[in-house]
Amino acid sequence: MRLRVQLPVLLCVFVAFGACAAWRESAMRSTSRGPREFFPLHPGTLWVYAVRDAQGRVALERVLVRGVYHLEARQAEGTVVEESGGMSGDFDLDVSWHPVVYYRRGSFLYKFSGVLNDVGGELQEQTLGDGEEKVLPADPMELSRWESDFDIFRSEPGASYHARMVSVARIIRDAVRVRAGEFRDCLRVDSDSVLDSRSLRSSHREIAFHYVDWYAPGVGLVKSEVHAGEPTRPITELELISFRDGRTGD
């Protein structure tokens, strides 16, 4: 999910430029619970997505909510989410798990801009950049527009991959149809982002992206598109094919 495959995938895309079976019944039962919970983080919740790139290649991405985690870097209680698969740098299926932490502070859910390494059964934090990535506000109807400004990766002083993003959310009444089923009253989030590379050794480069994410109430992210350049043709598409609610096992 934003869970988003987008930043890891687009980091690979940027370098190239520069150098969630939940069948329909289960999905609709889940939608009827938690009518305004667009990003559920209940332990045991599992999403399986099909990820398609611009050349039509498809890989699976699995996202599993593990449980509570204290994030030392932000001094916040968060939730560990394990992601696997999706498009790697070589567009292969990566079967290993990658832990990610989401945490809440104030009006927003954030994603930790760093990595967790499993060392001897314990998670160790490694901060890669500065700033914080906002995922969703607690009430998107009250706060329907927000901005994020953060470093995705910083290798040395003066060198980084930086993101500036403006997001706008609205409820859509038309059904969103994906392989996992049909979802109504979804939250659509449109985000315009500029990724830029900063280095003391090379010229400054920028690439603009447009994200469109659809979140179903009680389920979370069900569909996502990433656009760059030609607006009508996504460079990455993500579609929910299976969902298990951690609260019920459905």
Side-chain angles (χ1 to χ4, degrees), residues 20-40 42 44-47 180-184 215-220 222 240 242-250:
C20 209
W23 306 108
R24 177 169 180 157
E25 180 182 359
S26 175
M28 296 309 292
R29 284 204 309 269
S30 300
T31 304
S32 66
R33 296 187 291 263
R36 290 299 174 190
E37 189 176 27
F38 292 107
F39 206 103
H42 310 289
T45 298
L46 173 67
W47 300 264
E182 181 178 289
F183 301 90
R184 296 187 178 276
Y215 297 87
V219 175
V222 297
L240 181 68
S242 177
F243 172 73
R244 183 184 73 198
D245 191 329
R247 291 169 295 186
T248 65
D250 290 340

Side-chain angles (χ1 to χ4, degrees), residues 92-157:
D92 294 325
L93 178 61
D94 181 356
V95 296
S96 62
W97 288 103
H98 307 286
V100 179
V101 176
Y102 293 86
Y103 61 99
R104 297 186 184 276
R105 191 179 67 248
S107 300
F108 282 94
L109 175 71
Y110 293 85
K111 180 179 179 180
F112 176 53
S113 295
V115 296
L116 295 180
N117 297 313
D118 190 343
V119 179
E122 294 186 2
L123 296 178
Q124 295 184 354
E125 301 171 17
Q126 179 182 355
T127 302
L128 297 181
D130 295 330
E132 298 174 288
E133 180 184 357
K134 295 175 180 176
V135 181
L136 281 179
D139 186 350
M141 297 302 93
E142 180 179 343
L143 188 59
S144 60
R145 184 184 184 279
W146 62 93
E147 299 182 10
S148 292
D149 193 317
F150 59 98
D151 285 338
I152 302 170
F153 179 75
R154 173 169 289 180
S155 58
E156 59 187 48

